[in-house]
C-alpha cells in the first residue's frame, strides 16, 4: 500500500524534463488544431492570395504606361512615402513586380505578423484562460505539447500563405519566379519571427488580451523603428536593421534578390521559441510570469453602473485605436505636400479619385477622411464582437442577473462605442490637419479637417447600428457587418475605376456625406444617416430583448 501511495505521487511524465516526455500528444493536438481552424486558416491564405491577385491584375490597368508608374514611384521614394511603404528598393527604375514587392510588401508583412500573433495566442493562452487546456492536460499530453502544436500550425499556415502569394505573383502577375519565391519566403519568415515573439508573451501574462497586446506592442515598435530608419535614407539606414519588419524588405526582391537577411527573422523565431519553452517550465498552468497587479480595495462608484462597466471594458481599446489612427493620420497629412509636387504626373485614376487636378489637395484630404471612417467602422464592429464574446463566455449573465436590464447592458455598450467613434475621428482629423498644416504652412487645415472627419461619423454609426441589429437578431452572424465596411472600401476606392453605376455607390453609407473639405457641408445626408443608425440600433435592442442569452 505504501508503494502504491508513493507511485501515485510521482511526477507526471510531462514534468520529467528529459527523454522527450514533455512533447507527448503533440501530433494529436496539431491535428486537432488544424481541424478546429479548418475554415479560419484557409481563409487567411485565400485572403492573402486575393490581395496579391488584385494587385497583380489591377496595377497594369491603373498605371498604364511607364511614365505613370515612374510618377507614382516618386511618391514612394520621398521620405514620407518611405515612412509608409518601406526603403524603396528599385523604384528609381520601377517595374510592376518591383512596385508590388517594394511598394506594397510592407502590408503583407504586417498582416502576416498579426496573423501569427493571434494564432499563437488563441491556441495557447486563450485555451488556458478558458480552462480548456487543463482538460487537455488531464490526458496523456506533455507540458510542451500545446505550445509546440500551436507553433506547428503557425508554420503550416505561413507556408500556405507563402504558397498562395507565390502562385498569384507568378500565375496572375507573370512575375519572375526568383523574386516571387524570395518575396513569399520573406512573408513566411516574418510571420515565424512574430510567432516566436508571441510564444514569449503568452508566458508572461495570464490574460490573452494582454499577451496579444504585448506582442502587438513589439509589432508597433518594429513599425516605428523601421519608419525612422527608412525615412532617414533611401534603401534604409542602420536603424532599419533593428526592426523585424525591415528584414523581409531588405531582401529587395526583383532588385538585389538577396536571401541572407531572412536569417534574422528565422533566428528571432528560434530564440523566441526557445525562450518560450524556458519560461513555460517556470510557471504553473493558467498562470503568468508577470504578477497581476492588485486592484483597489473598493471600486469607483461609476464602475457599478452599466455605463461605467461599458467604458471600463472599452477604455483601453479606445486609447490604443486613437493612438494608432492619430499616428497614421499625422503621416497622411504630412504627405500632402509630396502629393502636390507630383500632382502633374499622377495617373488619371489618382486624379479622378481625388476629384480632379484643380482641387487635388482638398480631394486627397477628403479621401483620407473617408478612409479613416472605414477604420473607425472596423473599431465599431470589433466592439460589438467583443460584447458578443462577453455573452458567450458567460460574463454577461452575471451582469444581467443584477437589476440591469438588457436594454441598459447593450445600450450602454453601444453608446460608449458611438462616443469612441467620435473620439477616434476627432483625433484622426486633428492629426491630419496638423500634419497638413506643418508641411503646407496653412493653419486653416487643422479646423477644416477636424470638421471633415466629424462629418464622416454618421456612416460609421450606421455600421455600428447594423452590427447591433445582427447582435440582437442573429448573434452568430455579427461578423457579417464587415461586409458594409468592405463594400464601402472597395466601391469608394475603386468604383470609379470599375465604372460602377450610381446605385452601387448609393448602397454604401460612406458615399453620402459631403466630401469635405473638397465640398461644402450638407446637413441632409447627416440627418438621414443618423436616423438610419438610430433605427438599426433600436431594432437590435428590441431583438436582443426577445431572444435567449448565449445562443
Amino acid at each position: 500500500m505504501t508503494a502504491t501511495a508513493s507511485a501515485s505521487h510521482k511526477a507526471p511524465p510531462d514534468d520529467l524534463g528529459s527523454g522527450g516526455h514533455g512533447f507527448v500528444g503533440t501530433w494529436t493536438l496539431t491535428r486537432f488544431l488544424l481541424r478546429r481552424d479548418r475554415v479560419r486558416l484557409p481563409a487567411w491564405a485565400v485572403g492573402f492570395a486575393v490581395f496579391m491577385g488584385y494587385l497583380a491584375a489591377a496595377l497594369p490597368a491603373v498605371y498604364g504606361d511607364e511614365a505613370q508608374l515612374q510618377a507614382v514611384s516618386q511618391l514612394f521614394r520621398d521620405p514620407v512615402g518611405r515612412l509608409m511603404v518601406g526603403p524603396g528598393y528599385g523604384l528609381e527604375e520601377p517595374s510592376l513586380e518591383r512596385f508590388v514587392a517594394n511598394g506594397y510588401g510592407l502590408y503583407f508583412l504586417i498582416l502576416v505578423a498579426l496573423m501569427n500573433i493571434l494564432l499563437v495566442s488563441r491556441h495557447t493562452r486563450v485555451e488556458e484562460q478558458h480552462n480548456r487546456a487543463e482538460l487537455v492536460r488531464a490526458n496523456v499530453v506533455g507540458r510542451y505539447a500545446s505550445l509546440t502544436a500551436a507553433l506547428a500550425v503557425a508554420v503550416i499556415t505561413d507556408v500556405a500563405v507563402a504558397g498562395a502569394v507565390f502562385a498569384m505573383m507568378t500565375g496572375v502577375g507573370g512575375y519572375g519566379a526568383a523574386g516571387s519565391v524570395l518575396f513569399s519566403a520573406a512573408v513566411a519568415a516574418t510571420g515565424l519571427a512574430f510567432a516566436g515573439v508571441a510564444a514569449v508573451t503568452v508566458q508572461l501574462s495570464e490574460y490573452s488580451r494582454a499577451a496579444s497586446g504585448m506582442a502587438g506592442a513589439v509589432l508597433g515598435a518594429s513599425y516605428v523603428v523601421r519608419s525612422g530608419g527608412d525615412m532617414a535614407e533611401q534603401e534604409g539606414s542602420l536603424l532599419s536593421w533593428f526592426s523585424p519588419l525591415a528584414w523581409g524588405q531588405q531582401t529587395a526582391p526583383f532588385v538585389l534578390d538577396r536571401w541572407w537577411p531572412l536569417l534574422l527573422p528565422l533566428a528571432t523565431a528560434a530564440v523566441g521559441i526557445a525562450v518560450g519553452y524556458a519560461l513555460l517550465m517556470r510557471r504553473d498552468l493558467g498562470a503568468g510570469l508577470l504578477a497581476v497587479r492588485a486592484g483597489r480595495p473598493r471600486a469607483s462608484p461609476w464602475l457599478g453602473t452599466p455605463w461605467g462597466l461599458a467604458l471600463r471594458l472599452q477604455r483601453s481599446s479606445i486609447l490604443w485605436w486613437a493612438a494608432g489612427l492619430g499616428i497614421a493620420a499625422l503621416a497622411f497629412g504630412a504627405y500632402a505636400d509630396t502629393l502636390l509636387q507630383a500632382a502633374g504626373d499622377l495617373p488619371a485614376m489618382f486624379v479622378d479619385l481625388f476629384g480632379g487636378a484643380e482641387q487635388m489637395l482638398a480631394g486627397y484630404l477628403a479621401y483620407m477622411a473617408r478612409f479613416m471612417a472605414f477604420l473607425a467602422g472596423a473599431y465599431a464592429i470589433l466592439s460589438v464582437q467583443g460584447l458578443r464574446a462577453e455573452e458567450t463566455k458567460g460574463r454577461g449573465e452575471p451582469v444581467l442577473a443584477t437589476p440591469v436590464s438588457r436594454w441598459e447592458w447593450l445600450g450602454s455598450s453601444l453608446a460608449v462605442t458611438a462616443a469612441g467613434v467620435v473620439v477616434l475621428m476627432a483625433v484622426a482629423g486633428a492629426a491630419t490637419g496638423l500634419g497638413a498644416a506643418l508641411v503646407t504652412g496653412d493653419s486653416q487645415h487643422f479646423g477644416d479637417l477636424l470638421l471633415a472627419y466629424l462629418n464622416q461619423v454618421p456612416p460609421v454609426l450606421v455600421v455600428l447600428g447594423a452590427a447591433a441589429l445582427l447582435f440582437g437578431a442573429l448573434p452568430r452572424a455579427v461578423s457579417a457587418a464587415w461586409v458594409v465596411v468592405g463594400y464601402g472600401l472597395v466601391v469608394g476606392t475603386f468604383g470609379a475605376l470599375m465604372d460602377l453605376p450610381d446605385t452601387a455607390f448609393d448602397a454604401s453609407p460612406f458615399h453620402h456625406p459631403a466630401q469635405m473639405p473638397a465640398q461644402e457641408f450638407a446637413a441632409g445626408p447627416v440627418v438621414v444617416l443618423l436616423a438610419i443608425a438610430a433605427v438599426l440600433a433600436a431594432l437590435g435592442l428590441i431583438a436582443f430583448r426577445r431572444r435567449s442569452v448565449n445562443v
Side-chain angles (χ1 to χ4, degrees), residues 30 49 65 101 125-126 144 146 158 237 246 252 281 292 301 314-315 320 348-349 382 424 433 447 494 518 525 532:
T30 301
D65 54 46
R125 180 51 66 180
V126 170
Y144 314 118
S146 295
D158 287 331
S237 63
M281 291 183 61
V292 179
Q314 298 189 44
R315 182 180 61 185
W320 281 110
M349 180 266 189
L382 290 173
L424 296 185
F494 307 109
I532 293 173

Side-chain angles (χ1 to χ4, degrees), residues 306 387 391 396-397 399-414 471-472 540-551:
L387 191 64
E391 180 187 2
E397 283 186 278
V399 177
L400 294 174
T402 66
V404 174
S405 68
R406 296 192 182 195
W407 285 57
E408 289 179 302
W409 186 65
L410 178 56
S412 59
S413 295
L414 295 178
F471 176 83
L541 287 167
I542 295 172
F544 178 59
R545 187 178 182 183
R546 294 183 176 181
R547 73 168 172 85
S548 299
V549 177
N550 198 15
V551 293

Side-chain angles (χ1 to χ4, degrees), residues 79-436:
V80 179
R82 296 199 301 271
L83 179 148
M84 292 191 289
V85 303
Y89 278 104
L91 296 183
E92 301 88 350
E93 300 178 359
S95 61
L96 287 175
E97 57 261 33
R98 289 180 175 182
F99 192 74
V100 169
N102 300 296
Y104 291 95
L106 176 63
Y107 301 102
F108 286 87
L109 302 183
I110 293 174
L111 288 174
V112 78
L114 287 172
M115 181 189 74
N116 280 267
I117 290 171
L118 296 175
L119 188 153
V120 173
S121 177
R122 182 173 65 253
H123 289 312
T124 55
R125 180 51 66 180
V126 170
E127 295 299 295
E128 293 187 40
Q129 187 175 335
H130 295 162
N131 299 320
R132 292 191 291 262
E134 188 172 4
L135 295 175
V136 173
R137 286 282 299 277
N139 294 280
V140 185
V141 175
R143 177 187 292 269
Y144 314 118
S146 295
L147 178 58
T148 307
L151 293 171
V153 172
V155 172
I156 293 171
T157 308
D158 287 331
V159 171
V161 165
V165 170
F166 174 78
M168 286 296 174
M169 294 182 78
T170 55
V172 178
Y175 304 155
S180 298
V181 72
L182 177 56
F183 178 81
S184 303
V187 171
T190 302
L192 291 177
F194 282 93
V197 171
V200 175
T201 60
V202 294
Q203 315 304 328
L204 300 179
S205 174
E206 63 182 82
Y207 299 108
S208 59
R209 186 174 297 180
S212 300
M214 285 187 283
V218 174
L219 175 59
S222 300
Y223 183 87
V224 172
V225 171
R226 181 217 58 81
S227 298
D230 290 346
M231 280 188 69
E233 185 178 344
Q234 189 170 355
E235 299 184 357
S237 63
L238 178 62
L239 181 61
S240 301
W241 289 92
F242 288 92
S243 169
L245 279 179
W247 299 333
Q249 292 187 294
Q250 289 297 328
T251 59
F254 306 106
V255 183
L256 301 179
D257 285 337
R258 52 188 184 188
W259 284 83
W260 65 264
L262 296 186
L263 295 175
L264 295 173
L266 294 178
T268 300
V271 171
I273 292 170
V275 172
Y277 282 129
L279 296 178
L280 180 59
M281 291 183 61
R282 303 176 64 88
R283 69 175 181 86
D284 293 329
L285 182 66
L289 291 173
L290 297 180
V292 179
R293 186 180 62 180
R296 296 178 181 178
R298 295 181 63 86
S300 301
W302 61 270
L303 192 56
T305 66
W307 302 89
L309 177 61
L311 179 60
R312 179 65 182 83
L313 291 175
Q314 298 189 44
R315 182 180 61 185
S316 60
S317 296
I318 294 174
L319 292 176
W320 281 110
W321 272 89
L325 293 185
I327 294 172
L330 184 65
F332 291 145
Y335 201 55
D337 190 52
T338 301
L339 184 74
L340 283 178
Q341 294 176 10
D345 300 321
L346 287 177
M349 180 266 189
F350 276 88
V351 177
D352 294 340
L353 180 63
F354 299 148
E358 297 181 357
Q359 53 176 3
M360 176 68 68
L361 178 58
Y364 164 74
L365 296 175
Y367 173 78
M368 294 317 306
R370 185 165 55 185
F371 180 76
M372 285 296 177
F374 297 141
L375 299 180
Y379 156 75
I381 296 173
L382 290 173
S383 177
V384 177
Q385 288 182 321
L387 191 64
R388 172 62 177 166
E390 291 291 305
E391 180 187 2
T392 57
K393 293 174 182 176
R395 294 191 288 265
E397 283 186 278
V399 177
L400 294 174
T402 66
V404 174
S405 68
R406 296 192 182 195
W407 285 57
E408 289 179 302
W409 186 65
L410 178 56
S412 59
S413 295
L414 295 178
V416 170
T417 302
V421 168
V422 175
V423 170
L424 296 185
M425 293 301 291
V427 169
T432 306
L434 178 61

